[in-house]
Short mmCIF file of all heavy atoms in Angstrom, two decimals:
data_model
loop_
_atom_site.label_atom_id
_atom_site.label_comp_id
_atom_site.label_asym_id
_atom_site.label_seq_id
_atom_site.Cartn_x
_atom_site.Cartn_y
_atom_site.Cartn_z
N MET A 1 36.14 -1.82 -5.54
CA MET A 1 35.57 -0.50 -5.96
C MET A 1 35.12 -0.54 -7.44
O MET A 1 35.88 -1.29 -8.24
CB MET A 1 36.73 0.54 -5.89
CG MET A 1 36.44 2.02 -6.28
SD MET A 1 37.61 3.24 -5.68
CE MET A 1 36.51 4.44 -5.38
N ARG A 2 34.16 0.14 -7.76
CA ARG A 2 33.54 0.06 -9.05
C ARG A 2 34.29 0.89 -10.11
O ARG A 2 34.75 2.03 -9.68
CB ARG A 2 32.10 0.47 -9.06
CG ARG A 2 31.24 -0.50 -8.40
CD ARG A 2 29.87 -0.12 -8.20
NE ARG A 2 29.29 0.58 -9.27
CZ ARG A 2 28.08 1.00 -9.51
NH1 ARG A 2 27.15 0.60 -8.62
NH2 ARG A 2 27.69 1.52 -10.58
N THR A 3 34.41 0.39 -11.23
CA THR A 3 35.21 1.29 -12.27
C THR A 3 34.29 2.33 -12.83
O THR A 3 32.98 2.24 -12.79
CB THR A 3 35.60 0.45 -13.48
OG1 THR A 3 34.53 -0.08 -14.19
CG2 THR A 3 36.55 -0.80 -13.04
N GLN A 4 34.85 3.27 -13.60
CA GLN A 4 34.06 4.33 -14.19
C GLN A 4 33.12 3.82 -15.11
O GLN A 4 31.99 4.18 -15.36
CB GLN A 4 35.05 5.42 -14.80
CG GLN A 4 35.75 6.26 -13.82
CD GLN A 4 34.85 7.23 -13.02
OE1 GLN A 4 33.75 7.50 -13.52
NE2 GLN A 4 35.46 7.45 -11.81
N GLU A 5 33.46 2.72 -15.92
CA GLU A 5 32.63 2.08 -16.98
C GLU A 5 31.44 1.51 -16.27
O GLU A 5 30.28 1.64 -16.90
CB GLU A 5 33.49 1.13 -17.71
CG GLU A 5 34.48 1.65 -18.65
CD GLU A 5 35.83 1.96 -17.88
OE1 GLU A 5 35.99 1.37 -16.79
OE2 GLU A 5 36.68 2.81 -18.38
N GLU A 6 31.55 0.83 -15.24
CA GLU A 6 30.48 0.26 -14.43
C GLU A 6 29.51 1.23 -13.87
O GLU A 6 28.29 1.05 -14.02
CB GLU A 6 30.94 -0.62 -13.34
CG GLU A 6 31.67 -1.90 -13.75
CD GLU A 6 32.35 -2.62 -12.55
OE1 GLU A 6 32.83 -1.77 -11.55
OE2 GLU A 6 32.48 -3.77 -12.54
N ILE A 7 30.10 2.32 -13.39
CA ILE A 7 29.15 3.38 -12.91
C ILE A 7 28.40 4.04 -14.08
O ILE A 7 27.32 4.31 -13.95
CB ILE A 7 30.04 4.53 -12.18
CG1 ILE A 7 30.65 3.96 -10.97
CG2 ILE A 7 29.27 5.76 -11.86
CD1 ILE A 7 31.76 4.82 -10.35
N LYS A 8 29.06 4.29 -15.21
CA LYS A 8 28.41 4.94 -16.47
C LYS A 8 27.33 3.91 -16.88
O LYS A 8 26.23 4.44 -17.12
CB LYS A 8 29.40 5.12 -17.43
CG LYS A 8 28.88 5.84 -18.72
CD LYS A 8 29.92 6.19 -19.65
CE LYS A 8 29.33 6.78 -20.96
NZ LYS A 8 30.27 7.01 -21.93
N ALA A 9 27.71 2.61 -16.94
CA ALA A 9 26.68 1.60 -17.37
C ALA A 9 25.43 1.62 -16.54
O ALA A 9 24.24 1.59 -17.02
CB ALA A 9 27.24 0.34 -17.58
N THR A 10 25.62 1.74 -15.25
CA THR A 10 24.47 1.72 -14.27
C THR A 10 23.76 3.03 -14.43
O THR A 10 22.48 2.99 -14.37
CB THR A 10 25.13 1.64 -12.73
OG1 THR A 10 25.79 0.42 -12.71
CG2 THR A 10 23.88 1.69 -11.79
N HIS A 11 24.32 4.00 -14.64
CA HIS A 11 23.65 5.35 -14.77
C HIS A 11 22.76 5.28 -16.04
O HIS A 11 21.69 5.72 -16.04
CB HIS A 11 24.62 6.58 -14.78
CG HIS A 11 23.94 7.90 -15.02
ND1 HIS A 11 23.31 8.47 -14.14
CD2 HIS A 11 23.94 8.59 -16.05
CE1 HIS A 11 22.93 9.73 -14.67
NE2 HIS A 11 23.17 9.70 -15.90
N GLU A 12 23.44 4.84 -17.10
CA GLU A 12 22.65 4.67 -18.31
C GLU A 12 21.48 3.79 -18.39
O GLU A 12 20.48 4.13 -18.77
CB GLU A 12 23.52 4.27 -19.53
CG GLU A 12 24.71 5.30 -19.89
CD GLU A 12 25.66 4.80 -20.81
OE1 GLU A 12 25.84 3.62 -21.10
OE2 GLU A 12 26.44 5.67 -21.42
N LYS A 13 21.67 2.69 -17.58
CA LYS A 13 20.50 1.77 -17.27
C LYS A 13 19.39 2.42 -16.57
O LYS A 13 18.20 2.39 -16.95
CB LYS A 13 20.95 0.50 -16.63
CG LYS A 13 19.97 -0.48 -16.40
CD LYS A 13 20.45 -1.76 -15.67
CE LYS A 13 19.31 -2.82 -15.51
NZ LYS A 13 19.88 -3.94 -14.89
N ALA A 14 19.91 3.16 -15.58
CA ALA A 14 18.81 3.90 -14.66
C ALA A 14 17.98 4.97 -15.62
O ALA A 14 16.79 5.01 -15.52
CB ALA A 14 19.49 4.68 -13.54
N GLU A 15 18.82 5.61 -16.47
CA GLU A 15 18.16 6.65 -17.38
C GLU A 15 17.16 5.98 -18.25
O GLU A 15 15.97 6.41 -18.61
CB GLU A 15 19.16 7.46 -18.06
CG GLU A 15 19.83 8.45 -17.16
CD GLU A 15 18.96 9.52 -16.66
OE1 GLU A 15 18.10 10.06 -17.21
OE2 GLU A 15 19.20 9.72 -15.43
N ARG A 16 17.50 4.76 -18.85
CA ARG A 16 16.57 4.01 -19.69
C ARG A 16 15.39 3.65 -18.96
O ARG A 16 14.31 3.74 -19.49
CB ARG A 16 17.33 2.84 -20.33
CG ARG A 16 18.32 3.12 -21.42
CD ARG A 16 18.73 1.88 -22.15
NE ARG A 16 19.29 0.93 -21.36
CZ ARG A 16 20.56 0.74 -20.96
NH1 ARG A 16 21.43 1.67 -21.27
NH2 ARG A 16 20.99 -0.22 -20.15
N LEU A 17 15.47 3.09 -17.64
CA LEU A 17 14.27 2.73 -16.99
C LEU A 17 13.44 3.95 -16.62
O LEU A 17 12.23 3.83 -16.68
CB LEU A 17 14.77 1.99 -15.74
CG LEU A 17 15.46 0.67 -15.77
CD1 LEU A 17 16.02 0.18 -14.42
CD2 LEU A 17 14.35 -0.29 -16.32
N LYS A 18 14.07 5.04 -16.24
CA LYS A 18 13.35 6.26 -16.01
C LYS A 18 12.39 6.76 -17.32
O LYS A 18 11.31 7.08 -17.09
CB LYS A 18 14.32 7.39 -15.71
CG LYS A 18 13.66 8.68 -15.17
CD LYS A 18 14.81 9.60 -14.76
CE LYS A 18 14.33 10.97 -14.37
NZ LYS A 18 15.35 11.89 -13.95
N LYS A 19 13.01 6.61 -18.45
CA LYS A 19 12.27 7.05 -19.64
C LYS A 19 11.15 5.99 -19.86
O LYS A 19 9.95 6.35 -20.36
CB LYS A 19 13.16 6.89 -20.88
CG LYS A 19 14.14 8.11 -20.83
CD LYS A 19 15.06 8.11 -22.07
CE LYS A 19 16.08 9.28 -22.05
NZ LYS A 19 17.01 9.25 -23.14
N LYS A 20 11.44 4.67 -19.60
CA LYS A 20 10.31 3.66 -19.71
C LYS A 20 9.20 3.96 -18.81
O LYS A 20 7.99 3.88 -19.18
CB LYS A 20 10.81 2.22 -19.62
CG LYS A 20 11.63 1.73 -20.71
CD LYS A 20 12.16 0.28 -20.43
CE LYS A 20 13.03 -0.29 -21.49
NZ LYS A 20 13.47 -1.61 -21.27
N LEU A 21 9.50 4.25 -17.61
CA LEU A 21 8.47 4.54 -16.60
C LEU A 21 7.82 5.76 -16.90
O LEU A 21 6.51 5.87 -16.87
CB LEU A 21 9.19 4.82 -15.18
CG LEU A 21 9.76 3.51 -14.52
CD1 LEU A 21 10.42 3.76 -13.32
CD2 LEU A 21 8.52 2.47 -14.24
N ALA A 22 8.42 6.80 -17.38
CA ALA A 22 7.80 8.09 -17.85
C ALA A 22 6.76 7.82 -18.94
O ALA A 22 5.59 8.35 -18.94
CB ALA A 22 8.80 9.07 -18.20
N ALA A 23 7.23 6.95 -19.96
CA ALA A 23 6.27 6.53 -20.96
C ALA A 23 5.07 5.76 -20.50
O ALA A 23 3.99 5.81 -21.21
CB ALA A 23 7.01 5.66 -22.00
N MET A 24 5.17 5.16 -19.36
CA MET A 24 3.98 4.47 -18.74
C MET A 24 3.17 5.34 -17.83
O MET A 24 2.19 5.07 -17.18
CB MET A 24 4.51 3.17 -17.93
CG MET A 24 5.19 2.25 -18.83
SD MET A 24 6.15 0.88 -17.85
CE MET A 24 5.06 0.53 -16.59
N GLY A 25 3.56 6.78 -17.74
CA GLY A 25 2.86 7.56 -16.90
C GLY A 25 3.33 7.68 -15.51
O GLY A 25 2.61 8.16 -14.66
N ILE A 26 4.47 7.10 -15.29
CA ILE A 26 5.03 7.04 -13.81
C ILE A 26 6.09 8.03 -13.63
O ILE A 26 7.27 7.87 -14.42
CB ILE A 26 5.53 5.71 -13.58
CG1 ILE A 26 4.40 4.67 -13.59
CG2 ILE A 26 6.11 5.60 -12.10
CD1 ILE A 26 4.69 3.22 -13.42
N HIS A 27 5.88 9.13 -12.99
CA HIS A 27 6.85 10.17 -12.81
C HIS A 27 7.45 10.42 -11.32
O HIS A 27 8.17 11.40 -11.11
CB HIS A 27 6.28 11.38 -13.30
CG HIS A 27 5.74 11.35 -14.74
ND1 HIS A 27 6.61 11.31 -15.81
CD2 HIS A 27 4.53 11.21 -15.29
CE1 HIS A 27 6.03 11.23 -16.90
NE2 HIS A 27 4.63 11.21 -16.62
N SER A 28 6.81 9.58 -10.38
CA SER A 28 7.21 9.88 -9.10
C SER A 28 7.38 8.46 -8.26
O SER A 28 6.81 7.50 -8.80
CB SER A 28 6.23 10.65 -8.35
OG SER A 28 5.05 10.20 -8.15
N ASP A 29 7.96 8.55 -7.14
CA ASP A 29 8.05 7.30 -6.32
C ASP A 29 6.67 6.85 -5.96
O ASP A 29 6.28 5.58 -5.86
CB ASP A 29 8.82 7.59 -5.01
CG ASP A 29 10.38 7.56 -5.41
OD1 ASP A 29 10.72 7.31 -6.43
OD2 ASP A 29 11.09 8.03 -4.42
N ALA A 30 5.73 7.81 -5.61
CA ALA A 30 4.44 7.50 -5.15
C ALA A 30 3.69 6.82 -6.27
O ALA A 30 2.94 5.73 -5.99
CB ALA A 30 3.70 8.64 -4.72
N GLU A 31 3.83 7.29 -7.67
CA GLU A 31 3.18 6.67 -8.70
C GLU A 31 3.67 5.27 -8.92
O GLU A 31 2.98 4.33 -9.32
CB GLU A 31 3.30 7.64 -9.93
CG GLU A 31 2.57 8.76 -9.87
CD GLU A 31 2.95 9.74 -11.02
OE1 GLU A 31 3.92 9.71 -11.62
OE2 GLU A 31 2.08 10.69 -11.20
N LEU A 32 5.00 5.10 -8.75
CA LEU A 32 5.65 3.80 -8.93
C LEU A 32 5.14 2.79 -7.91
O LEU A 32 4.82 1.71 -8.28
CB LEU A 32 7.13 3.89 -8.88
CG LEU A 32 7.89 2.54 -9.04
CD1 LEU A 32 7.66 1.85 -10.27
CD2 LEU A 32 9.38 2.89 -8.86
N ASP A 33 4.97 3.19 -6.66
CA ASP A 33 4.53 2.34 -5.64
C ASP A 33 3.12 2.00 -5.91
O ASP A 33 2.65 0.83 -5.67
CB ASP A 33 4.57 3.21 -4.19
CG ASP A 33 6.04 3.30 -3.68
OD1 ASP A 33 6.89 2.50 -4.12
OD2 ASP A 33 6.25 4.12 -2.80
N GLU A 34 2.11 2.92 -6.40
CA GLU A 34 0.86 2.61 -6.67
C GLU A 34 0.81 1.51 -7.83
O GLU A 34 -0.06 0.53 -7.83
CB GLU A 34 0.05 3.94 -7.11
CG GLU A 34 -1.39 3.65 -7.30
CD GLU A 34 -2.20 3.33 -6.00
OE1 GLU A 34 -1.73 3.48 -4.93
OE2 GLU A 34 -3.21 2.68 -6.14
N ALA A 35 1.58 1.80 -8.91
CA ALA A 35 1.65 0.93 -10.03
C ALA A 35 2.00 -0.56 -9.69
O ALA A 35 1.45 -1.58 -10.02
CB ALA A 35 2.49 1.37 -11.11
N ILE A 36 3.01 -0.55 -8.74
CA ILE A 36 3.37 -1.96 -8.16
C ILE A 36 2.28 -2.60 -7.45
O ILE A 36 2.03 -3.70 -7.56
CB ILE A 36 4.71 -1.82 -7.34
CG1 ILE A 36 5.93 -1.45 -8.38
CG2 ILE A 36 5.04 -3.15 -6.61
CD1 ILE A 36 7.22 -1.00 -7.55
N LYS A 37 1.66 -1.78 -6.43
CA LYS A 37 0.65 -2.26 -5.66
C LYS A 37 -0.61 -2.91 -6.59
O LYS A 37 -1.14 -3.92 -6.29
CB LYS A 37 0.18 -1.15 -4.82
CG LYS A 37 -1.06 -1.57 -3.86
CD LYS A 37 -1.44 -0.34 -3.06
CE LYS A 37 -2.88 -0.53 -2.64
NZ LYS A 37 -3.48 0.71 -2.11
N ASN A 38 -0.80 -2.13 -7.63
CA ASN A 38 -1.88 -2.52 -8.48
C ASN A 38 -1.70 -3.75 -9.31
O ASN A 38 -2.68 -4.34 -9.76
CB ASN A 38 -2.37 -1.30 -9.42
CG ASN A 38 -2.94 -0.24 -8.46
OD1 ASN A 38 -3.52 -0.38 -7.49
ND2 ASN A 38 -2.98 1.02 -9.10
N THR A 39 -0.42 -4.03 -9.54
CA THR A 39 -0.09 -5.00 -10.45
C THR A 39 0.49 -6.40 -9.59
O THR A 39 0.77 -7.39 -10.25
CB THR A 39 1.09 -4.75 -11.58
OG1 THR A 39 2.11 -4.21 -10.82
CG2 THR A 39 0.39 -3.68 -12.43
N LYS A 40 0.49 -6.18 -8.35
CA LYS A 40 1.04 -7.34 -7.55
C LYS A 40 0.01 -8.56 -7.52
O LYS A 40 -1.18 -8.28 -7.49
CB LYS A 40 1.11 -6.71 -6.12
CG LYS A 40 1.88 -7.61 -5.16
CD LYS A 40 1.91 -6.86 -3.80
CE LYS A 40 2.77 -7.75 -2.80
NZ LYS A 40 2.87 -7.04 -1.56
N LEU A 41 0.67 -9.67 -7.73
CA LEU A 41 -0.14 -10.93 -7.80
C LEU A 41 -0.10 -11.59 -6.37
O LEU A 41 0.86 -11.49 -5.63
CB LEU A 41 0.46 -11.88 -8.73
CG LEU A 41 0.30 -11.42 -10.28
CD1 LEU A 41 1.04 -12.65 -11.05
CD2 LEU A 41 -1.15 -11.39 -10.71
N ASP A 42 -1.39 -12.13 -6.05
CA ASP A 42 -1.41 -12.99 -4.83
C ASP A 42 -1.00 -14.39 -5.24
O ASP A 42 -1.96 -15.03 -5.77
CB ASP A 42 -2.73 -12.76 -4.18
CG ASP A 42 -2.81 -13.63 -2.93
OD1 ASP A 42 -1.91 -14.21 -2.47
OD2 ASP A 42 -3.96 -13.70 -2.37
N ILE A 43 0.13 -14.86 -4.92
CA ILE A 43 0.46 -16.17 -5.37
C ILE A 43 -0.04 -17.29 -4.50
O ILE A 43 0.09 -18.42 -4.85
CB ILE A 43 2.01 -16.30 -5.50
CG1 ILE A 43 2.63 -16.19 -4.17
CG2 ILE A 43 2.63 -15.27 -6.61
CD1 ILE A 43 4.19 -16.66 -4.23
N SER A 44 -0.64 -16.82 -3.42
CA SER A 44 -1.18 -17.96 -2.51
C SER A 44 -2.15 -18.82 -3.17
O SER A 44 -2.32 -19.98 -2.77
CB SER A 44 -1.75 -17.30 -1.13
OG SER A 44 -2.95 -16.57 -1.59
N LEU A 45 -2.81 -18.46 -4.25
CA LEU A 45 -3.80 -19.28 -4.92
C LEU A 45 -3.03 -20.38 -5.78
O LEU A 45 -3.61 -21.29 -6.13
CB LEU A 45 -4.58 -18.34 -5.95
CG LEU A 45 -5.49 -17.24 -5.37
CD1 LEU A 45 -6.01 -16.43 -6.46
CD2 LEU A 45 -6.47 -17.88 -4.46
N PHE A 46 -1.80 -20.17 -6.04
CA PHE A 46 -1.12 -21.12 -6.86
C PHE A 46 -0.05 -21.90 -6.09
O PHE A 46 0.53 -22.83 -6.62
CB PHE A 46 -0.22 -20.28 -7.88
CG PHE A 46 -1.08 -19.37 -8.72
CD1 PHE A 46 -1.08 -17.96 -8.38
CD2 PHE A 46 -1.93 -19.74 -9.75
CE1 PHE A 46 -1.74 -17.11 -9.18
CE2 PHE A 46 -2.63 -19.00 -10.48
CZ PHE A 46 -2.61 -17.49 -10.17
N VAL A 47 -0.04 -21.74 -4.80
CA VAL A 47 0.93 -22.51 -3.96
C VAL A 47 0.28 -23.49 -3.06
O VAL A 47 -0.82 -23.31 -2.48
CB VAL A 47 1.74 -21.58 -2.99
CG1 VAL A 47 2.64 -22.24 -1.99
CG2 VAL A 47 2.50 -20.43 -3.86
N THR A 48 0.65 -24.77 -3.17
CA THR A 48 -0.01 -25.81 -2.35
C THR A 48 0.49 -25.61 -0.92
O THR A 48 1.81 -25.51 -0.76
CB THR A 48 0.53 -27.14 -2.82
OG1 THR A 48 0.18 -27.30 -4.23
CG2 THR A 48 -0.11 -28.24 -2.10
N PRO A 49 -0.30 -25.65 0.06
CA PRO A 49 0.02 -25.42 1.45
C PRO A 49 0.93 -26.63 1.85
O PRO A 49 0.73 -27.71 1.48
CB PRO A 49 -1.25 -25.44 2.25
CG PRO A 49 -2.34 -25.57 1.23
CD PRO A 49 -1.73 -25.76 -0.09
N MET A 50 1.91 -26.21 2.63
CA MET A 50 2.78 -27.31 3.32
C MET A 50 2.02 -28.04 4.30
O MET A 50 1.31 -27.47 5.11
CB MET A 50 4.14 -26.69 3.77
CG MET A 50 4.92 -25.98 2.75
SD MET A 50 5.70 -27.08 1.64
CE MET A 50 6.85 -27.93 2.67
N PRO A 51 2.21 -29.38 4.39
CA PRO A 51 1.47 -30.01 5.47
C PRO A 51 2.28 -29.81 6.72
O PRO A 51 3.41 -29.50 6.86
CB PRO A 51 1.73 -31.60 5.04
CG PRO A 51 2.93 -31.55 4.17
CD PRO A 51 2.89 -30.26 3.40
N ASP A 52 1.50 -29.93 7.94
CA ASP A 52 2.05 -29.75 9.20
C ASP A 52 3.20 -30.94 9.41
O ASP A 52 2.97 -32.05 9.03
CB ASP A 52 1.03 -29.98 10.36
CG ASP A 52 0.28 -28.77 10.52
OD1 ASP A 52 0.71 -27.74 10.07
OD2 ASP A 52 -0.69 -28.74 11.22
N VAL A 53 4.36 -30.53 9.90
CA VAL A 53 5.37 -31.50 10.29
C VAL A 53 4.90 -32.49 11.16
O VAL A 53 5.25 -33.70 11.01
CB VAL A 53 6.59 -30.69 10.75
CG1 VAL A 53 7.66 -31.73 11.17
CG2 VAL A 53 7.20 -29.71 9.80
N GLU A 54 3.99 -32.11 12.20
CA GLU A 54 3.61 -33.06 13.24
C GLU A 54 2.58 -34.15 12.57
O GLU A 54 2.60 -35.25 12.98
CB GLU A 54 2.81 -32.38 14.25
CG GLU A 54 3.88 -31.44 15.09
CD GLU A 54 3.23 -30.62 16.15
OE1 GLU A 54 1.96 -30.88 16.36
OE2 GLU A 54 3.71 -29.63 16.66
N THR A 55 1.80 -33.81 11.65
CA THR A 55 0.78 -34.65 11.11
C THR A 55 1.24 -35.31 9.75
O THR A 55 0.50 -36.12 9.20
CB THR A 55 -0.51 -33.85 10.86
OG1 THR A 55 -0.27 -32.77 9.90
CG2 THR A 55 -1.07 -33.33 12.19
N LYS A 56 2.45 -34.84 9.34
CA LYS A 56 2.88 -35.45 8.08
C LYS A 56 3.26 -36.99 8.18
O LYS A 56 3.85 -37.39 9.07
CB LYS A 56 4.29 -34.80 7.60
CG LYS A 56 4.70 -35.15 6.25
CD LYS A 56 5.88 -34.30 5.91
CE LYS A 56 6.42 -34.75 4.54
NZ LYS A 56 7.72 -33.96 4.14
N GLU A 57 2.54 -37.68 7.14
CA GLU A 57 2.83 -39.19 7.19
C GLU A 57 4.12 -39.57 6.53
O GLU A 57 4.55 -38.88 5.56
CB GLU A 57 1.61 -39.91 6.53
CG GLU A 57 0.36 -39.77 7.20
CD GLU A 57 -0.75 -40.53 6.57
OE1 GLU A 57 -0.37 -41.47 5.72
OE2 GLU A 57 -1.79 -40.18 6.65
N VAL A 58 4.87 -40.48 7.02
CA VAL A 58 6.07 -41.00 6.44
C VAL A 58 5.80 -41.96 5.30
O VAL A 58 5.06 -42.96 5.74
CB VAL A 58 7.09 -41.47 7.49
CG1 VAL A 58 8.22 -42.01 6.74
CG2 VAL A 58 7.35 -40.45 8.52
N ILE A 59 6.11 -41.83 4.13
CA ILE A 59 5.86 -42.72 3.18
C ILE A 59 7.06 -43.65 2.95
O ILE A 59 8.15 -43.20 2.70
CB ILE A 59 5.51 -42.13 1.76
CG1 ILE A 59 4.21 -41.17 1.99
CG2 ILE A 59 5.25 -42.98 0.66
CD1 ILE A 59 3.98 -40.29 0.70
N ALA A 60 6.89 -45.01 3.20
CA ALA A 60 7.86 -45.89 3.07
C ALA A 60 8.10 -46.59 1.73
O ALA A 60 7.19 -46.76 1.05
CB ALA A 60 7.97 -46.88 4.10
#
């Protein structure tokens, strides 16, 4: 079970995040979802594809 101090710290952190989001113009879940969607990176450009297990050559 969480202590009162842990609960208070979590609440205070949530309030700080809420203020930061408001300063960024985000006031609702829909606005937050849209901001996340707009800033999402497609990392597939940076990831080397894994070779097929069947065609992978064994290097001795």
Side-chain angles (χ1 to χ4, degrees):
M1 182 166 214
R2 294 174 36 171
T3 66
Q4 289 294 336
E5 292 81 21
E6 290 172 328
I7 293 169
K8 184 178 178 183
T10 300
H11 179 74
E12 289 171 351
K13 183 177 179 181
E15 287 299 315
R16 286 191 306 272
L17 290 172
K18 187 176 174 182
K19 287 179 183 179
K20 285 182 182 181
L21 289 170
M24 296 167 46
I26 299 170
H27 303 284
S28 69
D29 287 347
E31 290 172 341
L32 179 58
D33 289 340
E34 186 66 23
I36 290 170
K37 179 181 157 194
N38 291 338
T39 59
K40 191 174 182 180
L41 290 176
D42 180 6
I43 65 166
S44 65
L45 300 172
F46 306 103
V47 178
T48 306
M50 296 292 292
D52 277 350
V53 175
E54 296 173 10
T55 60
K56 185 176 178 181
E57 293 182 23
V58 177
I59 301 173

